Structure formats: C-alpha cells, structure tokens
Amino acid sequence: MVKEKRILVTPLSIEDVKSLRVGDVVYLSGLIVTARDKAHKRALEELAKGNQLPVNLEGGVVFHCGPLMKKENDTWKVVAAGPTTSARMEKFEAEFIKKVGVRAIIGKGGMGKNTLDALKEHGCVYLAITGGCAVSASNAIKEVKGVYWYELGMPEALWLFKVEEFGPLVVGMDSCGNSLYEEVYKKAKEYLREVVAKS
Amino acid sequence: MGDRRRVVFLVEEGRVKWIVSLLREIAVVLPSDVSTALEDALSEEDSEVSRSQISAILDNCLLAKKLSAPMCQDTGIHVFEIQAGLGVSTNEILEWKKAIIEGVKLATSEIPLRPNAVHPLTRENSGNNVGVDIPYIKISLNPEIEGLRIIASIKGAGSENMTALKLFSPTASRSEIEAWILERVIEAGGKPCPPCVLGLGIGGTSPIAMELAEKALYRKVGKRHHESDIASWEEKLIELINKSGIGPMGLGGKTTVLDVHVEYAYCHTATLPVALRFGCWALRRAVLEVKEDYVRALVGDSVRIVGVD
C-alpha cells in the first residue's frame, strides 16, 4: 500500500511544527528562502544594526542551499538546487531562529546541540532533504520569486523560491528536543566502543 | 594557407568539445557501477527513512539524465589525469591540457556548472572554475594503452571536507586502523552524503597515501583489490562500517558505504601513514578514450567516453 503524502504548507504554524516527530517523512509547498554561511552572517549583522531583512521570514522556511542559477531573457531559472551541509551554519542558527522567527530549516547532515535547543525553545523543526538531489529539488521549485544580496555571490545570495511538494523531507530534529542524528550517532558510538573493546 | 588555419581551428575546437562532453557526462549521468550498487542497497534497506533517501537519489538521477541537468548542485572542482600511451607526442599531451582548461571554462557557462573555484585566502571566485592549478591536471604514462585516456572527476565539498590522514605508529595493528576508519565514518555522519565509497591509501609518505586514497576512489564499485589479502580486508571493512547504522544521509540504515577500496605502497619502517577519502553517492568520474592520433581520429569513432575500470 502506498502511504499518502503528508504535505506542509507555508507559512507554517506552531501547531504544524509541534505535530512533527523525528522520522516522519513529509513534503512542503509554499515559499522557501535559501541561505548559506554568508547570508546567515549578514542577516545577523543587519538585524544587530536594527535593519529589516529583505524577506519576511516569520513562519518561514530556510533552505541551506547554494543553487546553480541561469539567467534566460532576464528571468532567473534554477539549474540545480540541492542542499548544502548544515553543520557549517551551526554557529549562526540558534540566534537566527530566535531573531528571524523561521519555523523550519531544510538542509542535510543535521545540526548540533545549540540548534536543537533553539528548535525546542522557539518552535522550529529541522527537515533533511536528500543530499545532492539537486534536480528533484529544482523540479519542485515552480517559480523564482526574487533574489537578494546577490553581491554575496550566486550560491551565497538569498533566493526566494515557490515550491510544490518539495521533498521527501525527513524530520531529522523536532521541536521536542529529539534528533534522529543524535540517536543514530549514539548507537554508532556504542558500536564503536564494542568494536574497540573486542580488538 | 587559409585552409590550413581552418583545419587547425577545427582540431582545437574538437578537443574542447570532447572535454565539454566529458564534463557533461560526469555532471549529469551517475556511473552505472554506482547506480547498480544503489539499487542493490535499496533492496537491502527496510525502514521508511532509509528507503526514502535511496529512492530519492535514484529518482533524482533518472530526472537528471532526462533533463540533461547536473545531478548535484555542487559540481565540484575539476581534477583530470591524462594518461599517455606509447608514442603519444608531448605536443599532443599539451594540446589536450590546453583543451581541458578551455573546456572547463566553456562547460561552466554551457552546461552550466557552478563556479566553485576561489582563491584559497581571499576567497575571490574566478567565475569560470579556472584558477591557479585548477583544473588540476596530472600527466602520467601508461604503456598498456593505445593513444590517450583522460580521466575526469568532480567531487563536492561535503565529502571532500571529511578527508582524514593519520600517521599511525608503525606497530599499529590492522584492528587499530579499522577502529580509526570506523570512528571517522561515524563522526562524518550524514555530512559526506552517504552511502559513500571510501578510498583508503596506506603506506608511502603522507602525500603518497593521499594520492593512493584518491586512486582508490577511481576504481569501479564492486571491484576488489587484485591481492586476496587486501580484497578480503576490503570486504571486512565494508561489513564493519555498515554495521554502524549511520545509513543513507546519516539518518540511520544498513548502507553507510557502497564500497571500500584500499590501495597501498611500501613505506618507511618507522612510519605507517593512512589516508581516508570519502566519495559521496554522486561518485562522478569517467574516461575519455582517444584511441589514435587525434587529428586523424577527429571524424572517426575512435574517441569515446567510457566508465572507469
């Protein structure tokens, strides 16, 4: 039997977020905005200066992605837009979640303790999209709604995308303090200890 | 005179076009050894999460091929090896070297590929994937082939950043090396985009070990080392690592590695360098075979793109 797709729609409510648990497989429709290292840094700097961000991210979704874009007749087209390694954003993410009010982060590889605590405190969730699956991801992007901070470089800019059934997304870290990565990691470390003890 | 200049132009353009084709092939099409290994892995996995990841990878690759689009947005930086058979002129090798650089530039705008090459300190992006010593082009001799083989690979940063080197005590046991590899894989978790192929280089000096680990990634997935002792160690490592449960994308599952390839060289009696390189599931490499003199081969079918062996 094929399980029915569970589709989340942006802007996400706190209830949407709270209903998700690690290991759930979902899809997302609505608006998402890309942000990598430089965009996170810049966003926090702008907010510290009292400036507004160019896009409102309340209830929004951030995608850790440096897309490959092509301009055709003055219109931006997505060539490839898969996720980048989320761990690099760890040093910014807790503050970013707190100050920006995003409800979901999409990325790959998972994030650390600070982010996990911030997810719980502020009602946000980490969704894992399969690393490298840039064509499927860009196929789900139906429209490029805008680009901001392009001067940071194509991969580092903020790209605002309209998506339909973006996914599959695995809830990797939920708003109740659970991390699938942490569970997998703990079991693997236990296994490593056994292997070392036997050798 | 005019005609002669035109011929020279065509030859040069032809080489560049072949390089662009080679780059398109590796960016777009997942090599069949890797896709077969992924299909086998899918039939092994039994959880919704791990199956969703491998299915997503296979669906993505089908779509990439259909749309002729790069399978991953991280189209890497470009590493080439020109292997020259006997009788290939130095001039011919250098012409291909030039063509590779022009081909990378053209492929970057045409396919397109993401401009990834930056200055290591200023981080300034050249915009065309060409910079100091990038694309990296290694030239070697291979007396067993006719003509030239140009091996191209692209590797994303997620897996590259997991690379590890350890100078073991020369008295270290195999099980100590195994435990270290296992620890590196567990610490890497989902970051190198598993299921991975691991390249392990043992012996030599530090740079030699690293080069062996790189060479190991070029070996066909599923092919064992020609020495039975190393071959069975590879099998043991695969089993050992897959029992860690890290799984596809580090979300848990049975397949953390699709394969482990070991290459070794003799080393100093007082050393034991071990290098570990991770290849993400998108293990992109292919070979351009140029069977005979390129100028004569231009219109024939003696130039073709094949998989690694």
Side-chain angles (χ1 to χ4, degrees):
Chain A
M1 199 185 83
V2 181
K3 229 173 116 182
E4 208 178 304
K5 274 186 185 177
R6 182 168 171 196
I7 301 162
L8 302 170
V9 180
T10 66
L12 300 178
S13 67
I14 187 87
E15 289 74 27
D16 287 331
V17 168
K18 297 225 155 161
S19 70
L20 297 169
R21 289 293 176 278
V22 288
D24 288 353
V25 180
V26 298
Y27 292 78
L28 189 98
S29 292
L31 293 176
I32 60 173
V33 62
T34 68
R36 306 182 17 134
D37 317 51
K38 286 185 189 169
H40 274 79
K41 190 163 177 259
R42 168 107 176 238
L44 295 178
E45 283 167 3
E46 296 286 341
L47 290 169
K49 282 188 233 161
N51 296 336
Q52 295 277 310
L53 298 185
V55 220
N56 179 17
L57 284 166
E58 283 278 332
V61 178
V62 156
F63 181 23
H64 292 159
C65 165
L68 174 57
M69 308 291 294
K70 196 176 188 177
K71 208 170 198 174
E72 275 174 8
N73 307 322
D74 271 350
T75 311
W76 283 108
K77 294 256 192 280
V78 184
V79 180
T84 192
T85 304
S86 296
R88 291 198 320 273
M89 271 58 79
E90 177 66 14
K91 58 184 173 201
F92 308 112
E93 210 68 86
E95 200 185 340
F96 191 84
I97 294 166
K98 183 182 170 188
K99 294 198 172 152
V100 178
V102 288
R103 290 264 175 255
I105 294 156
I106 302 175
K108 74 165 170 107
M111 303 191 73
K113 180 80 170 65
N114 286 342
T115 302
L116 188 61
D117 291 345
L119 296 177
K120 193 175 176 183
E121 197 181 336
H122 305 287
C124 183
V125 69
Y126 179 87
L127 304 169
I129 188 163
T130 315
C133 291
V135 193
S136 297
S138 35
N139 206 45
I141 298 170
K142 300 302 171 190
E143 200 185 332
V144 181
K145 301 287 271 187
V147 57
Y148 310 94
W149 300 346
Y150 189 74
E151 63 275 18
L152 297 179
M154 186 197 285
E156 302 286 342
L158 292 177
W159 294 92
L160 183 62
F161 296 142
K162 183 170 179 273
V163 298
E164 264 176 47
E165 296 192 17
F166 192 69
L169 307 166
V170 174
V171 179
M173 295 157 79
D174 64 26
S175 60
C176 308
N178 303 307
S179 165
L180 191 53
Y181 298 96
E182 196 54 34
E183 284 172 23
V184 170
Y185 180 73
K186 271 189 188 155
K187 277 188 209 157
K189 285 292 265 193
E190 186 52 42
Y191 168 69
L192 175 65
R193 272 191 290 276
E194 284 166 24
V195 168
V196 172
K198 267 189 234 163
S199 67
Chain B
M1 190 64 196
D3 282 342
R4 189 180 151 72
R5 270 163 68 182
R6 182 168 161 72
V7 168
V8 171
F9 173 71
L10 273 174
V11 169
E12 280 171 5
E13 197 188 39
R15 284 195 190 90
V16 174
K17 279 182 178 165
W18 271 112
I19 296 299
V20 174
S21 299
L22 179 63
L23 289 171
R24 190 186 301 276
E25 175 79 15
I26 58 174
V28 172
V29 185
L30 189 68
S32 60
D33 55 331
V34 185
S35 60
T36 304
L38 283 166
E39 279 158 17
D40 293 347
L42 181 61
S43 62
E44 286 287 310
E45 294 289 347
D46 47 23
S47 80
E48 189 194 2
V49 169
S50 59
R51 290 184 60 83
S52 74
Q53 299 307 295
I54 299 180
S55 298
I57 291 169
L58 291 169
D59 290 348
N60 177 73
C61 292
L62 282 177
L63 199 58
K65 208 168 168 178
K66 191 176 141 200
L67 302 174
S68 191
M71 68 186 86
C72 176
Q73 81 288 347
D74 189 345
T75 49
I77 55 169
H78 305 90
V79 175
F80 291 84
E81 181 177 347
I82 304 177
Q83 292 184 350
L86 295 177
V88 175
S89 72
T90 319
N91 190 48
E92 181 68 12
I93 296 168
L94 293 176
E95 287 300 328
W96 277 104
K97 200 176 166 181
K98 274 199 282 186
I100 286 171
I101 293 165
E102 289 312 307
V104 166
K105 284 184 198 165
L106 192 58
T108 300
S109 63
E110 230 177 51
I111 296 176
L113 305 171
R114 196 170 78 185
N116 280 335
V118 302
H119 184 287
L121 294 172
T122 66
R123 311 306 293 181
E124 194 189 330
N125 195 316
S126 68
N128 61 9
N129 280 316
V130 174
V132 176
D133 261 336
I134 291 294
Y136 189 75
I137 306 167
K138 181 181 162 183
I139 296 168
S140 63
L141 293 177
N142 184 348
E144 286 167 24
I145 59 168
E146 275 176 61
L148 287 159
R149 275 164 63 88
I150 298 174
I151 308 166
S153 78
I154 53 180
K155 194 161 178 300
S159 58
E160 179 61 27
N161 284 338
M162 297 301 112
T163 306
L165 173 77
K166 186 170 164 111
L167 289 313
F168 279 84
S169 153
T171 55
S173 64
R174 273 198 214 198
S175 53
E176 280 174 64
I177 298 173
E178 287 165 10
W180 175 73
I181 297 165
L182 185 59
E183 191 192 3
R184 289 335 311 152
V185 173
I186 292 170
E187 293 302 328
K191 292 195 281 285
C193 281
C196 292
V197 172
L198 296 185
L200 193 65
I202 301 194
T205 59
S206 320
I208 295 169
M210 202 52 84
E211 203 167 317
L212 289 167
E214 173 78 347
K215 182 184 165 195
L217 289 181
Y218 289 74
R219 197 199 305 162
K220 199 170 185 170
V221 173
K223 188 177 172 185
R224 297 271 62 83
H225 193 275
H226 61 275
E227 291 178 25
S228 63
D229 175 37
I230 302 291
S232 55
W233 195 39
E234 288 175 345
E235 278 164 8
K236 185 186 175 191
L237 285 167
I238 295 167
E239 201 191 323
L240 183 83
I241 293 165
N242 281 341
K243 277 190 188 160
S244 70
I246 292 293
M249 295 300 147
L251 294 164
K254 294 177 178 174
T255 323
T256 307
V257 289
L258 296 172
D259 210 344
V260 178
H261 293 157
V262 179
E263 295 291 338
Y264 77 88
Y266 271 40
C267 60
H268 190 290
T269 181
T271 70
L272 176 47
V274 180
L276 179 64
R277 284 178 64 68
F278 289 73
C280 59
W281 64 257
L283 188 64
R284 289 157 289 177
R285 67 272 193 275
V287 183
L288 182 72
E289 276 186 356
V290 187
K291 285 264 181 192
E292 53 182 302
D293 176 70
Y294 181 69
V295 180
R296 271 183 283 140
L298 192 59
V299 288
D301 57 359
S302 43
V303 188
R304 61 180 190 145
I305 296 168
V306 296
V308 293
D309 49 24

